[in-house]
Amino acid sequence: MIFFGLTQSALGQTTPTSAEYLKRAEEIYSKVWRHYRVPTYGLFSENYPANQKDTLTYLQGSGVLEKRVSFLWPFSGILSATNVLLKIPAVKKRYAPYLDSLVYGLEKYRDTTRLPIGYQAYPGQFEKADRYYDDNGLVAIDYAEAYLNTKNPVYLNRAKMVFKFILSGWDNQLGGGVYWLEGHKDIKPACTNGMAALAALKIYKCTKDKYYLQCGKKFYNWMHANLRDSAGVYWNDKKMDGTVNKTTWTYNSGSMLEASLLLYEFTKEQQYLKEAKTIANGAFNHFTTANKNPALMLHIDLPWFVTVLFRGYEALYKADGNYKYIAAIEHDLNYAWQNARDKNGFITLSWSPKPQELEKPKRLLDEACLAELYARLSIIKQQR
């Protein structure tokens, strides 16, 4: 096991500069637009190359085949990456038109036929589809971030609208919390409630309306009481009979890590900073122990999941200056860039050069988030 207190240089890596990380972010972002874009619809494909033969596993039921454009979750990844690029002054003007185009695409998922208005998993022009509360949390977060970048009130109003839909999934079963999928009252998962906490707190950051701060605390407290283990790592979901699915994913701890730090930022209460440090260390120990690849530090369960964890670690770094956690993911991203890119320049699912993964089509979900990660590293390096 590598000692994680070591610096990047001590690990035998030359740490790239802010400019190099930005170059990587822009390269991947450009490739995503070039290879995944479906101009006919103003949307993106699920995979590249797209063969519409892939079976998708992240939806209710089984055997859902890849369709002509992507589902909402992968689409949101490219929007999130754009919001981060817009935070970099040197390229902000360049990416403003991309945001406009993506918002136009996002609205294709908006469903006004069912109230409250929300976003369905697949564009309504093709079919009526399920509405997932966690998807809508991502939409609310993306729109709040877009508002913070542009001050366009349309984006803030849409974030508020989406949050109303999320709240419609809350009831008092299991002491509160929101379900995963509209109309299916079977589980209350970390993915939905953690993202709902973040959505509320991001809207509060935009508005300073205490209603959203209280909502954020309500979701945060439910997560803490129901899905947190003793080390600060978050489990997957709670079923209606009270049993807990103790599967762990990086993003469930990541959403609560960032939420803790937003609450600390807004309230200045030390308990939230203390909790953030507990989650950060607990997740780090858990997912480094779970890693079986000696070339990497963390277990890469899913690149997008790790991206959510990284957001939390970035927020903690801004609060306490501890670079340890960012350094671990940075190490893995550099290894992936150097060793795990396929012939088109896309990185494998596991961030390692497994021959089968190198040859497989790459998912939009796994590639768009890489542009975000490298852009975030560029910002961090610029500020250090």
Side-chain angles (χ1 to χ4, degrees):
M1 177 64 70
I2 296 171
F3 176 60
F4 294 105
L6 292 176
T7 63
Q8 291 272 312
S9 58
L11 289 168
Q13 284 189 352
T14 301
T15 305
T17 62
S18 172
E20 172 60 25
Y21 282 133
L22 179 57
K23 181 180 177 182
R24 293 180 186 181
E26 292 194 280
E27 180 177 330
I28 292 180
Y29 190 89
S30 175
K31 286 179 183 293
V32 166
W33 275 80
R34 185 163 65 251
H35 293 302
Y36 290 84
R37 184 72 164 168
V38 184
T40 302
Y41 305 116
L43 297 167
F44 294 80
S45 60
E46 193 84 25
N47 289 308
Y48 179 79
N51 55 26
Q52 296 188 17
K53 294 180 180 178
D54 192 23
T55 300
L56 309 178
T57 59
Y58 56 81
L59 298 159
Q60 178 81 356
S62 59
V64 179
L65 293 177
E66 177 185 352
K67 299 177 183 287
R68 68 185 84 182
V69 298
S70 82
F71 284 86
L72 177 56
W73 179 23
F75 180 90
S76 74
I78 191 66
L79 180 50
S80 299
T82 306
N83 272 323
V84 177
L85 286 164
L86 286 170
K87 298 180 188 299
I88 302 175
V91 298
K92 182 172 183 176
K93 287 185 179 179
R94 185 184 310 162
Y95 290 101
Y98 288 90
L99 178 63
D100 294 339
S101 179
L102 288 163
V103 166
Y104 173 78
L106 179 57
E107 288 303 292
K108 291 176 179 288
Y109 296 85
R110 185 181 180 191
D111 169 40
T112 60
T113 66
R114 290 167 284 184
L115 297 177
I117 293 170
Y119 289 72
Q120 61 178 48
Y122 199 70
Q125 71 191 87
F126 302 118
E127 62 187 61
K128 183 177 181 179
D130 288 330
R131 304 196 297 184
Y132 292 81
Y133 294 109
D134 60 334
D135 279 356
N136 281 266
L138 302 181
V139 172
I141 291 166
D142 284 335
Y143 266 134
E145 290 288 352
Y147 173 77
L148 291 170
N149 281 326
T150 67
K151 303 305 180 186
N152 184 336
V154 171
Y155 299 154
L156 180 56
N157 288 336
R158 287 177 183 168
K160 291 178 178 179
M161 175 198 70
V162 177
F163 192 70
K164 287 182 181 178
F165 170 73
I166 296 168
L167 281 179
S168 73
W170 177 285
D171 66 22
N172 293 324
Q173 298 295 316
L174 303 178
V178 169
Y179 299 94
W180 182 41
L181 172 61
E182 182 184 29
H184 290 258
K185 298 187 176 184
D186 50 356
I187 61 169
K188 292 191 173 181
C191 61
T192 296
N193 290 282
M195 291 302 169
L198 282 177
L201 295 172
K202 297 276 186 180
I203 297 172
Y204 175 73
K205 188 169 186 176
C206 297
T207 64
K208 302 306 180 195
D209 182 340
K210 290 186 177 179
Y211 167 77
Y212 293 102
L213 179 59
Q214 293 306 315
C215 286
K217 287 181 177 180
K218 182 169 71 170
F219 280 104
Y220 180 93
N221 290 338
W222 185 87
M223 284 281 289
H224 188 277
N226 288 273
L227 293 176
R228 181 189 185 278
D229 78 3
S230 59
V233 177
Y234 279 80
W235 296 314
N236 192 72
D237 63 80
K238 196 167 194 178
K239 295 172 173 51
M240 303 318 293
D241 63 3
T243 60
V244 174
N245 175 359
K246 294 188 177 182
T247 302
T248 55
W249 302 100
T250 47
Y251 76 137
N252 289 329
S253 295
S255 63
M256 286 297 285
L257 173 56
E258 187 179 2
S260 295
L261 289 155
L262 285 170
L263 286 168
Y264 173 64
E265 176 186 339
F266 301 147
T267 69
K268 305 305 179 187
E269 295 178 20
Q270 289 294 318
Q271 70 184 55
Y272 293 118
L273 179 59
K274 181 180 179 182
E275 177 62 13
K277 291 180 178 181
T278 298
I279 297 170
N281 195 56
F284 183 78
N285 291 337
H286 181 80
F287 290 106
T288 52
T289 300
N291 174 43
K292 306 303 180 186
N293 185 340
L296 299 174
M297 291 189 173
L298 264 72
H299 171 56
I300 309 302
D301 47 3
L302 200 68
W304 187 88
F305 289 177
V306 175
T307 302
V308 176
L309 180 61
F310 187 92
R311 294 171 190 166
Y313 283 145
E314 181 183 8
L316 180 59
Y317 170 67
K318 291 176 180 177
D320 73 357
N322 184 354
Y323 199 74
K324 166 185 172 181
Y325 306 116
I326 289 176
I329 299 176
E330 181 180 11
H331 169 275
D332 292 353
L333 280 165
N334 285 330
Y335 177 83
W337 185 265
Q338 293 158 6
N339 299 280
R341 284 185 291 167
D342 69 9
K343 61 185 179 182
N344 299 305
F346 292 120
I347 291 175
T348 62
L349 174 66
S350 66
W351 294 3
S352 60
K354 297 178 180 178
Q356 184 179 4
E357 286 190 27
L358 287 166
E359 293 301 319
K360 285 182 64 174
K362 303 300 182 294
R363 302 189 304 180
L364 174 64
L365 178 66
D366 303 326
E367 301 303 321
C369 65
L370 292 165
E372 175 180 342
L373 283 167
Y374 287 121
R376 287 185 179 279
L377 280 171
S378 178
I379 293 170
I380 292 168
K381 291 292 183 182
Q382 185 66 35
Q383 295 172 345
R384 289 193 84 190

